[in-house]
Amino acid sequence: MTQAVIFDLDGTLLDTRDDLGAALNDVLQRHGMAQVAPAVYSPAISNGVKALLEVGFGDKLCEFDFETLKQEVLDYYAQNLAVHSHCFTGVESLLEALAQKGIKTGIMTNKPTFLTLPLLAQIEALSDIEVVVCGDTLSVAKPHPEPLLLVAEKLGVDPEHCIYVGDAARDITAAKAAGMRSAAALWGFIPSLKEAQSWSADLDLTNPESLFSHI
C-alpha cells in the first residue's frame, strides 16, 4: 500500500529547463561562445551544472577555469530562479489527488538548498509538500539511498510504502537501493525514451497523472 510519494524536482515536478538554459547561455555569451538551443541543453539539466557546461562549451571547456564558469552559471541562475519555471502539466492535479487520498508527499533533489528553497517559495503549487531534502542536506546525495531514507523517516512512512519518481538513472538506482518502488518520469529531461526504459523502473510513467492509477 502506497502511503507516500517522493519526487525529484527538476524534470519531474518542475520544468526548469529555460531558466537553467538562460543561465548557461548568459555565460556562453560572456565568453564569446555560441548559444545553445533547448533541444541541446534540456537532456543535460538533470545532471547538473557540469553537464550543462559540457554541452555548452564542448571541447572548448578545457580552455576555461571550470570553477569560475560554474559559479557564473550559479550566480545568474540564483537571481533568475523562476522566470520561466513552472509545474509540468498534470503535476498540480496529481498533488491534489494525493492530498485528497491522504498520501504524504516529499521532495528529494540533488539541487543544493540555497537554490531549492527559494525556488519552491516561488511555486505556489508546491507549497504543501511536507518534506524537502536537498543534495547538500547530508554528506551524500543520489544515487546514494540515504537522502531518500531520510525523507521517508521525516514523513513517518516505511520505505516499502513509498514511491520515488524521477527522470534520471540515479533516481531509479537510489529508489531501488532504498527499498522503494521506482517510477521513471518519462515527461522529464530524459536522454531518450529507449535509455529511460532501460533503467528498469518499476513504473514507466508518460505523464504525472498516470501515477495515480498505480496507487
Side-chain angles (χ1 to χ4, degrees):
M1 178 181 175
T2 301
Q3 298 176 7
V5 179
I6 306 169
F7 298 93
D8 176 46
L9 184 59
D10 297 72
T12 301
L13 290 175
L14 286 182
D15 184 347
T16 55
R17 78 187 80 196
D18 288 336
D19 285 325
L20 284 159
L24 172 63
N25 279 328
D26 177 76
V27 174
L28 288 169
Q29 184 177 38
R30 277 195 252 170
H31 293 281
M33 300 289 292
Q35 299 200 343
V36 294
V40 176
Y41 61 66
S42 293
I45 284 175
S46 286
N47 293 318
V49 175
K50 182 177 185 291
L52 275 176
L53 289 169
E54 287 172 347
V55 300
F57 283 82
D59 57 10
K60 298 282 188 183
L61 185 58
C62 62
E63 299 175 14
F64 297 86
D65 181 74
F66 174 78
E67 291 302 324
T68 297
L69 293 179
K70 179 180 177 181
Q71 193 59 51
E72 289 175 352
V73 170
L74 291 174
D75 288 345
Y76 181 96
Y77 181 57
Q79 297 300 316
N80 301 275
L81 282 170
V83 177
H84 305 290
S85 294
H86 58 276
C87 289
F88 284 99
T89 300
V91 163
E92 293 185 45
S93 56
L94 170 62
L95 293 175
E96 289 170 2
L98 293 174
Q100 289 172 4
K101 195 160 183 172
I103 294 172
K104 298 180 179 183
T105 53
I107 290 172
M108 197 286 115
T109 174
N110 274 6
K111 204 183 195 85
T113 303
F114 83 96
L115 295 174
T116 301
L117 297 186
L119 173 58
L120 291 176
Q122 298 181 60
I123 308 295
E124 185 177 354
L126 304 183
S127 61
D128 291 333
I129 298 286
E130 298 168 54
V131 173
V132 178
V133 170
C134 303
D136 55 356
T137 301
L138 300 174
S139 61
V140 292
K142 296 178 295 186
H144 199 287
E146 196 61 32
L148 280 180
L149 293 173
L150 178 60
V151 178
E153 179 184 341
K154 287 178 174 289
L155 289 172
V157 177
D158 289 337
E160 65 187 53
H161 297 306
C162 296
I163 297 176
Y164 184 56
V165 188
D167 68 317
R170 67 174 169 273
D171 298 327
I172 307 308
T173 299
K176 290 181 177 182
M180 299 179 180
R181 291 176 75 195
S182 57
L186 301 182
W187 63 86
F189 306 145
I190 59 173
S192 70
L193 182 60
K194 182 178 181 180
E195 185 171 339
Q197 290 174 332
S198 76
W199 302 337
S200 300
D202 296 310
L203 304 171
D204 285 329
L205 306 175
T206 56
N207 62 77
E209 292 165 306
S210 64
L211 173 65
F212 205 68
S213 64
H214 296 283
I215 292 176

